[in-house]
Amino acid sequence: MATKKLPVTRDKIVSMYMNFRLENNDKPKSVYQFAKSNGFEETEFYSFFASIENVEKEVFKIFLEKTVDLIQKDSNYEEYDMKTKMLSFYFTFFELLSANRSYVVLSLKENKNQLKNLMQLSALRTSFKNYVSEIISDDIRIKIEKLQEIQEKAIQETAWIQFLLTMKFWLDDESPAFEKTDIYIEKSVKLSFELMNIAPIDSLIDFGKFIFKEKIQTTK
């Protein structure tokens, strides 16, 4: 009796791709080669991805999706403040990275041109910024409607830069169980929330209103 062929899924293609990279120490030369070596049709690949490069980007996006899924299973998650949610995200994400370290190091240190390596993180960047936007708490949001979007984007971009710096630290971390990365995460996240103080921004807005008012009065 013939064995029923299991359907190809997005996650399976990503898993196959990671295994291919590790086993061959190289990328597939083409979608055809990749599909044939894994026993499925090229057309099945294109049902999920337009190119091999898209699969590379999806790997890190899936790491984020799995991270969010795991931390949200905690019954206390919704009660956490933004700082605690961020710490939970970081520790879980880097546990997943550590479990797949061989692939991550291979892919992110592949090119001497760091920009090419970072292009793999474009989908991760979008998903990460969306996650940050979702967990921004009301006490951090700027109450002035016109500046709220600008401030949220600033928080997202700052968080992304911090995230990249943490990944760089982790890639270079040679401590047992990457314990130095854990310390780095605690200290960097704590510092970022200490710096995320809206009082100076409120003062700047107030000063701006004063200057505007004075300007109007002097032109009358």
Side-chain angles (χ1 to χ4, degrees):
M1 183 177 177
T3 304
K4 186 177 180 180
K5 183 181 176 183
L6 295 175
V8 175
T9 65
R10 180 197 69 154
D11 286 7
K12 282 185 179 180
I13 290 176
V14 168
S15 180
M16 290 173 186
Y17 177 78
M18 292 173 68
N19 289 333
F20 187 100
R21 286 293 313 270
L22 290 170
E23 291 171 3
N24 296 278
N25 199 33
D26 196 8
K27 299 178 183 179
K29 302 301 180 185
S30 66
V31 172
Y32 173 80
Q33 179 202 23
F34 174 64
K36 185 176 180 180
S37 65
N38 285 283
F40 65 93
E41 297 297 323
E42 186 176 0
T43 53
E44 294 180 272
F45 177 94
Y46 291 119
S47 296
F48 300 96
F49 301 103
S51 67
I52 293 295
E53 288 71 25
N54 289 147
V55 182
E56 289 180 325
K57 295 174 182 179
E58 198 73 9
V59 172
F60 292 95
K61 180 183 176 184
I62 287 178
F63 285 153
L64 183 140
E65 290 173 355
K66 291 186 181 299
T67 296
V68 174
D69 183 58
L70 285 169
I71 61 179
Q72 288 183 343
K73 286 180 179 177
D74 185 337
S75 58
N76 298 315
Y77 176 80
E78 293 302 328
E79 305 302 319
Y80 291 161
D81 58 17
M82 184 180 175
K83 179 182 175 182
T84 306
K85 286 179 178 179
M86 188 62 80
L87 280 171
S88 180
F89 173 88
Y90 263 91
F91 286 128
T92 305
F93 184 87
F94 281 92
E95 280 182 17
L96 284 176
L97 282 198
S98 296
N100 295 276
R101 186 174 174 88
S102 293
Y103 173 84
V104 176
V105 171
L106 175 66
S107 60
L108 292 184
K109 289 191 173 183
E110 179 183 14
N111 293 295
K112 291 183 180 179
N113 184 340
Q114 288 299 311
L115 184 60
K116 287 185 177 180
N117 293 329
L118 290 176
M119 286 179 68
Q120 298 179 61
L121 305 181
S122 59
L124 171 64
R125 179 177 181 270
T126 300
S127 296
F128 176 78
K129 289 171 65 177
N130 287 340
Y131 174 72
V132 171
S133 178
E134 289 173 4
I135 66 171
I136 294 177
S137 50
D138 290 338
D139 59 322
I140 292 176
R141 293 183 188 276
I142 298 300
K143 304 303 180 184
I144 301 189
E145 185 176 349
K146 290 183 179 179
L147 294 184
Q148 183 172 330
E149 184 179 352
I150 298 173
Q151 180 65 6
E152 287 192 19
K153 286 182 179 179
I155 291 172
Q156 291 171 358
E157 290 297 342
T158 302
W160 173 245
I161 292 170
Q162 179 186 14
F163 188 61
L164 284 180
L165 291 173
T166 307
M167 288 189 73
K168 177 65 170 64
F169 188 93
W170 174 84
L171 283 168
D172 297 334
D173 188 4
E174 296 181 352
S175 63
F178 311 108
E179 56 191 24
K180 288 185 179 179
T181 297
D182 288 345
I183 297 171
Y184 181 96
I185 288 171
E186 286 190 22
K187 290 185 178 297
S188 64
V189 171
K190 179 182 177 183
L191 176 62
S192 68
F193 278 87
E194 287 178 352
L195 294 174
M196 204 181 295
N197 183 354
I198 67 170
I201 296 175
D202 286 340
S203 298
L204 181 62
I205 293 169
D206 187 54
F207 178 69
K209 287 180 177 178
F210 170 78
I211 293 297
F212 180 76
K213 183 179 178 181
E214 291 299 308
K215 191 79 171 176
I216 292 297
Q217 288 178 343
T218 56
T219 56
K220 288 182 178 179

